[in-house]
């Protein structure tokens, strides 16, 4: 650039020297002089026009640069008049022609107090010759906008000739910043209102945020913890982080840990923080102090064990008392039967019959209490042997028929002939289940019928699965208490105990006896229509029965 200017200056100086030589030389022809003079004028005029054109192109180039700047930009002279601006600034004030901006001032666009403030800032820049930056709020058509303003003086010969101003509209950024601050405040308020320790840490274990409970637990301010790793010398707890990150799932664990306040039981619940692409960014940790709960649980467990022990002692006492009562009652029944054989008159025989009936009822209650006490103490075990199921059922039904008294009841048996004649199981306990269910059926059925249904539903070489169903046309069971009918000492309602015999242990004993046999009892009932009680039992086959069964299959 310097070389081009030097050559141009040398050329101009040579031409100017030649003109002076011609003017002051007496021997130089005048017509040639006039030609050279015209050439010189044309040359200087051309050079001036070229310089002006280049200056205009430079100005145009600068203006185009202005328009490429993404912020509002304008130039002011020393009198605070606009010299140039870009399109963004013009759009801001809805000016369509760039020429209309030249020579105008702040007062043409802004309110007077705002314009005075801006001019005062410009005067300080002119005095101190350095730029400034600040945030300015300006109203446009009743809409406030926020600008990040930067002003720089442009200096010529060490004197400021004007100011270049850049104004970036940061209204949306400030709005987003305000919303973010509000959400952070809401999040902090929410976290601080949680009555548990809550904190967030990144993948490396550094604390990102925490609540007030976390500060209290750590005995430190949050600003002293953020960015630091928590040192927990416990492999079980730190290994949870690895599981949360690798498997991306919530993990919880109860652990007794040593804190600054001593040993405490804490429940750690850790969940992954995942971005929209499924990448784990960190871990949310929720910690509950469950020391009080653990103390209560320990106390309840101890109380429960004491209650179980006390209940066991109670059941043993009932069993002992019942056993002591059962022996003399058995003797009374025996003496009454002997006495009945020796008396011929009808009236005394009727009285003896009532006495025997009452004694047998009392004996049955004692047997129920004995069974119940054995169930509670876990003293019932299966005593298996070979038996004929058909004979057992018929024997039970014959005995039951003697209890129906004067009731008009039809007791029917539907026995599957495919059932093996001899099976292996606890016949005594199975007969006890049949007796209790049938006894209830007779007790709560005034008239109608009782059906006993036995069917084989599965048969193999080693066992048979038998389905039993007993239905009656009695008073039925209310839907509300059907789920509790198998509980201890439960009957349909309080009036049942007054009208019918029993203490509500029959079905409870059936439930536990069948449970020991690996089965479960069910009931379906409609009040005023009748009841159906059903269950299935697996009975094994002995080696002899398996051989007979196989022989029958071969014959077929």
């Amino acid at each position: 650039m310097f070389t081009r200017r030097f050559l141009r200056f040398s050329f101009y100086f040579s031409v100017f020297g030649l003109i002076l030589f011609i003017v002051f030389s007496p021997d130089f022809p005048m017509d040639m002089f006039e030609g050279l003079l015209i050439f010189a004028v044309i040359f200087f005029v051309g050079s001036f026009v070229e310089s002006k054109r280049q200056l205009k192109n430079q100005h145009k180039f600068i203006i185009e640069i202005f328009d490429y700047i993404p912020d509002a930009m304008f130039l002011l002279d020393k009198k605070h008049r606009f010299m140039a601006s870009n399109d963004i600034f013009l759009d801001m004030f809805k000016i369509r022609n760039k020429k209309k901006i030249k020579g105008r001032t702040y007062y043409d666009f802004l309110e007077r107090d705002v314009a005075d403030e801006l001019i005062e800032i410009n005067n300080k820049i002119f005095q101190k010759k350095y730029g400034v930056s600040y945030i300015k709020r300006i109203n446009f058509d009743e809409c406030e906008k926020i600008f990040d303003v930067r002003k720089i003086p442009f200096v010529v010969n060490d004197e400021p000739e004007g100011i270049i101003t850049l104004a970036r509209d940061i209204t949306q950024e400030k709005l987003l910043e305000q919303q973010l601050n509000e959400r952070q405040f809401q999040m902090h308020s929410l976290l601080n209102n949680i009555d548990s320790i809550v904190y967030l840490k990144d993948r490396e274990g550094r604390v990102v945020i925490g609540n007030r409970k976390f500060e209290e637990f750590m005995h430190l301010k949050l600003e002293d913890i953020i960015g630091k790793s928590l040192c927990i010398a416990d492999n079980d707890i730190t290994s949870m982080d690895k599981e949360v990150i690798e498997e991306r799932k919530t993990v919880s664990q109860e652990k007794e840990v040593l804190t600054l306040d001593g040993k405490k039981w804490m429940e750690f619940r850790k969940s992954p923080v995942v971005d929209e692409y499924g990448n784990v960014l960190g871990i949310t940790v929720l910690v509950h102090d469950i020391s009080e709960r653990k103390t209560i649980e320990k106390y309840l467990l101890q109380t429960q064990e004491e209650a179980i022990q006390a209940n066991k002692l109670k059941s043993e006492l009932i069993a002992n008392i019942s056993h002591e009562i059962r022996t003399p009652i058995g003797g009374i029944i025996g003496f009454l039967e002997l006495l009945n054989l020796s008396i011929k008159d009808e009236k005394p025989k009727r009285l003896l019959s009532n006495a025997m009936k009452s004694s047998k009822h009392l004996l049955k209650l004692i047997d129920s209490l004995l069974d119940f006490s054995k169930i509670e103490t876990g003293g019932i075990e299966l005593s298996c042997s070979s038996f004929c199921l058909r004979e057992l059922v018929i024997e039970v039904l014959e005995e039951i028929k003697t209890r129906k008294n004067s009731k008009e009841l039809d007791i029917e048996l539907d026995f599957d002939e495919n059932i093996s004649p001899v099976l292996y199981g606890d016949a005594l306990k199975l007969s006890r289940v049949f007796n209790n269910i049938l006894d209830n059926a007779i007790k709560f059925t005034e008239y109608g019928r009782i059906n006993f249904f036995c069917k084989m539903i599965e048969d193999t070489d080693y066992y048979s699965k038998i389905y039993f169903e007993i239905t009656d046309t009695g008073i039925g069971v209310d839907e509300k208490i059907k789920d509790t009918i198998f509980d201890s000492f439960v009957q349909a309602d309080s009036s049942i105990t007054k009208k019918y015999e029993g203490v509500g242990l029959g079905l409870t004993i059936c439930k536990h006896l069948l449970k020991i046999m690996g089965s479960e009892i069910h009931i379906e009932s409609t009040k005023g229509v009748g009841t159906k009680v059903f269950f299935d039992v697996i009975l094994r086959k002995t080696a002899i029965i398996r051989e007979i069964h196989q022989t029958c299959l071969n014959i077929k």
Side-chain angles (χ1 to χ4, degrees), residues 307-317 373 376-377:
I308 291 172
Q309 186 63 27
N311 189 58
K312 185 177 180 180
L313 292 173
K314 177 207 72 174
S315 299
E316 290 176 354
L317 178 62
S373 62
E376 283 199 322
T377 56

Side-chain angles (χ1 to χ4, degrees), residues 118-136:
L118 294 176
I119 289 175
E120 183 179 352
I121 293 172
N122 291 348
N123 288 332
K124 290 180 180 179
I125 294 172
F126 286 135
Q127 291 174 3
K128 297 181 179 181
K129 302 178 183 179
Y130 62 80
V132 297
S133 62
Y134 57 92
I135 304 298
K136 182 64 179 175

Side-chain angles (χ1 to χ4, degrees), residues 401-432:
K401 287 177 181 178
T402 62
R403 302 183 202 170
K404 71 176 185 177
N405 299 325
S406 59
K407 290 184 178 182
E408 297 180 359
L409 290 174
D410 293 329
I411 301 177
E412 299 177 359
L413 173 63
D414 186 355
F415 194 89
D416 190 348
E417 297 298 333
N418 293 320
I419 296 174
S420 299
V422 180
L423 295 168
Y424 188 80
D426 194 331
L428 184 62
K429 291 181 178 59
L430 195 57
S431 67
R432 188 62 191 274

